[in-house]
Amino acid sequence: MELSNTFPVATDLAGRFAAAGHRLYLVGGSVRDAFLGRLSGDLDFTTDARPPQVLAVLKGWADAIWDVGIAFGTVGASKDGQTVEITTFRSDAYDRVSRNPEVTFGDTVEGDLVRRDFTVNAMAYDLLERRLIDPTGGRAALAAGVLDTPATPAESFGDDPLRMLRAARFAAQLGFTVAPRVSEAMKAMAGELGRITAERVQVELSKLLLGAHPRAGVELAVSTGLADVVLPELPAMRLEIDEHHQHKDVYSHSLTVLEQAIDLETDGPDLTLRLAALLHDIGKPGTRRFESGGGVSFHHHEVVGAKLVRKRLRALKYAKEIVADVAQLVYLHLRFHGYGGGEWTDSAVRRYATDAEHLLTRLHKLVRADCTTRNKRKANALQRTYDDLERRIERLAAEEDLARVRPDLDGNEIMRLLDLPPGPQVGQAWKFLKELRLDRGPLEHDEAVSELFAWAEREGIRTRG
């Protein structure tokens, strides 16, 4: 591997550290990704220089410097549009209660590398001497596509249990498998994840789902028991038979839906869509009913599922927007099945589109991905039917601007016509007119006014009309 000429900024920086009497090494994920041919513009370094010395070297060279991580020995900087993070050699000790280390600086690059999470991340490259430093066999593990720990897995995961979930994340991002001893340790120590904050768990879970191979990461998390701790609704689906009897269980079906939803992405990885695809059926375990004749039903599982999604994603500290959007997609994912052979009225089509609002494109993808039948004739028929629904939505959108459906009279006009002050009655009138618009499409102004007066009379509101 030859990196010295690939990133002139890095080589220049290494020269500045050497002139100041220090060593600087490209390290960790940057070295791993360079071997994989996927190195980004963000570079990670390690050095024997202490943080004040790092700041001194960077001063006058970097375009910007930030020291928010200086308590942990990390200084960040940018130069010519490239971001670098420089961390002093570490030899931390962990208290085994929290995941917080007692930050201790080390003296050798080898000592720094052996305390890292996985051997593929425990390599460093000396840019000036042009040599690889690989004390734990990371390059061989990288070539084999195997995740193993520099120390024993029990020691590594005992120091930082989040590393177990990170193993599942790397399986999803890189398509790697875990060494047998790592898998066994994950199964034995999965419960230790309970001492990691929800925020840190959520970051790793999101990275896992956004990886190139999320199914591999999910399956590893489920098979080792990690998912029982961080997302217990997911393994709970393994015992639930899909009502169409086309899949071994709802869990397997959900993984297939996830993969099919990914195939429909057009603008890069979509966390909201992937969460919805993975979790769209989590309401089934709580709604399963065995019917006479041997059938199985899951009535209203979309309603139960939406509630479970809100509860779990809130517990994982996801942003409010993501919680709301994923829950709404789960709630709406079954509605299409009432479309039948296209019997919906234009009113029903309007409601489908307006209830989805900004999620309509994602809902289209989720519904299409949810078709996992192996019967090609049935699958093609479902896709053709959905094609028809999309065409109807597009036609109505072009005619009526469905993206901004509003009542034919606004709040100010409602107050003027009914001689009402601002308050709940105006909101009720507005809601009535919006429902009317959804049912009948755009109304002429006089017709909307007439309907408003008729509603007010039914509600006992005295008007001047």
Side-chain angles (χ1 to χ4, degrees):
M1 178 179 64
E2 178 51 69
L3 290 179
S4 299
N5 299 322
T6 304
F7 293 99
V9 166
T11 306
D12 181 31
L13 187 58
R16 288 181 65 87
F17 271 81
H22 302 295
R23 305 305 298 267
L24 184 75
Y25 304 89
L26 193 68
V27 74
S30 291
V31 179
R32 179 199 70 218
D33 288 347
F35 274 121
L36 295 174
R38 46 176 279 171
L39 188 57
S40 71
D42 296 342
L43 301 177
D44 295 325
F45 296 90
T46 189
T47 180
D48 60 337
R50 293 325 193 228
Q53 298 167 323
V54 173
L55 288 171
V57 173
L58 291 174
K59 187 176 181 181
W61 175 86
D63 298 327
I65 300 173
W66 50 93
D67 60 2
V68 292
I70 200 166
F72 297 96
T74 299
V75 177
S78 64
K79 174 72 172 180
D80 297 337
Q82 193 156 49
T83 299
V84 301
E85 273 200 354
I86 304 165
T87 302
T88 301
F89 296 158
R90 299 265 292 271
S91 58
D92 302 337
Y94 288 79
D95 61 17
R96 299 297 178 96
V97 176
S98 69
R99 70 171 298 274
N100 299 319
E102 178 184 342
V103 177
T104 305
F105 297 135
D107 297 313
T108 67
V109 66
E110 291 82 5
D112 177 272
L113 294 175
V114 297
R115 54 162 288 279
R116 292 176 178 260
D117 53 3
F118 300 104
T119 60
V120 296
N121 297 327
M123 296 180 283
Y125 186 76
D126 188 322
L127 289 155
L128 297 182
E129 296 186 2
R130 301 186 178 186
R131 67 185 180 94
L132 180 69
I133 303 162
D134 181 17
T136 65
R139 187 169 186 177
L142 193 65
V146 174
L147 289 171
D148 202 350
T149 52
T152 66
E155 182 179 357
S156 181
F157 299 154
D159 280 346
D160 184 359
L162 191 65
R163 288 172 172 173
M164 293 184 285
L165 190 55
R166 197 173 294 140
R169 187 246 289 185
F170 283 128
Q173 288 181 327
L174 305 175
F176 285 9
T177 58
V178 296
R181 69 172 190 158
V182 171
S183 176
E184 291 306 311
M186 291 168 70
K187 292 175 183 177
M189 302 177 68
E192 294 293 305
L193 264 179
R195 58 185 171 98
I196 303 300
T197 64
E199 290 85 353
R200 296 302 306 278
V201 167
Q202 181 246 105
V203 168
E204 290 297 330
L205 180 61
S206 295
K207 289 180 178 178
L208 184 162
L209 289 175
L210 291 171
H213 315 278
R215 179 168 187 154
V218 171
E219 289 180 328
L220 180 59
V222 170
S223 66
T224 55
L226 300 182
D228 290 314
V229 179
V230 302
L231 197 60
E233 295 83 0
L234 190 59
M237 291 192 288
R238 285 180 296 180
L239 302 179
E240 306 304 322
I241 302 172
D242 183 270
E243 73 266 34
H244 301 299
H245 303 289
Q246 298 298 312
H247 300 275
K248 181 180 179 181
D249 51 31
V250 175
Y251 166 68
S252 297
H253 164 74
S254 298
L255 292 177
T256 301
V257 173
L258 171 62
E259 291 181 313
Q260 295 187 167
I262 291 170
D263 289 339
L264 295 174
E265 291 176 339
T266 54
D267 298 312
D270 183 338
L271 180 61
T272 296
L273 177 63
R274 295 186 182 198
L275 280 167
L278 182 64
L279 303 177
H280 74 285
D281 276 346
I282 65 169
K284 283 188 172 180
T287 58
R288 181 174 64 165
R289 298 292 182 271
F290 294 100
E291 308 291 350
S292 58
V296 181
S297 67
F298 302 95
H299 296 307
H300 306 300
H301 76 267
E302 74 281 11
V303 178
V304 173
K307 292 179 180 178
L308 289 174
V309 161
R310 288 191 189 92
K311 182 177 179 180
R312 178 54 54 195
L313 296 189
R314 284 171 180 163
L316 288 169
K317 306 298 183 182
Y318 274 98
K320 291 181 180 179
E321 295 79 7
I322 291 179
V323 174
D325 287 352
V326 175
Q328 183 70 348
L329 286 169
V330 171
Y331 178 71
L332 293 175
H333 84 275
L334 274 189
R335 188 174 294 185
F336 160 70
H337 294 285
Y339 189 68
E343 293 88 357
W344 276 3
T345 62
D346 281 355
S347 171
V349 174
R350 286 189 200 97
R351 290 179 182 278
Y352 185 83
T354 55
D355 284 352
E357 296 183 306
H358 64 285
L359 296 170
L360 184 60
T361 299
R362 287 189 175 112
L363 181 60
H364 289 334
K365 294 174 182 178
L366 177 60
V367 172
R368 289 184 182 278
D370 195 25
C371 175
T372 59
T373 177
R374 297 173 185 173
N375 184 319
K376 290 186 177 180
R377 179 184 297 178
K378 183 177 180 181
N380 289 335
L382 283 169
Q383 296 298 341
R384 285 195 302 271
T385 303
Y386 204 82
D387 288 342
D388 179 67
L389 175 57
E390 281 202 59
R391 284 192 295 268
R392 290 183 64 187
I393 292 173
E394 290 172 2
R395 174 178 60 80
L396 289 171
E399 294 173 355
E400 304 175 13
D401 195 12
L402 287 182
R404 293 190 294 271
V405 167
R406 295 290 185 272
D408 296 283
L409 306 175
D410 65 18
N412 289 327
E413 195 166 7
I414 290 170
M415 288 189 288
R416 180 180 62 81
L417 289 168
L418 299 185
D419 196 20
L420 290 174
Q425 287 183 322
V426 178
Q428 293 164 9
W430 190 94
K431 183 177 180 181
F432 163 76
L433 289 173
K434 181 178 179 180
E435 293 295 315
L436 195 65
R437 167 74 186 273
L438 288 171
D439 282 335
R440 290 161 51 179
L443 304 180
E444 295 292 337
H445 182 269
D446 290 347
E447 186 179 6
V449 171
S450 176
E451 291 288 353
L452 175 64
F453 283 139
W455 171 84
E457 185 175 354
R458 290 194 299 273
E459 295 295 314
I461 299 172
R462 300 183 67 178
T463 71
R464 297 171 297 163

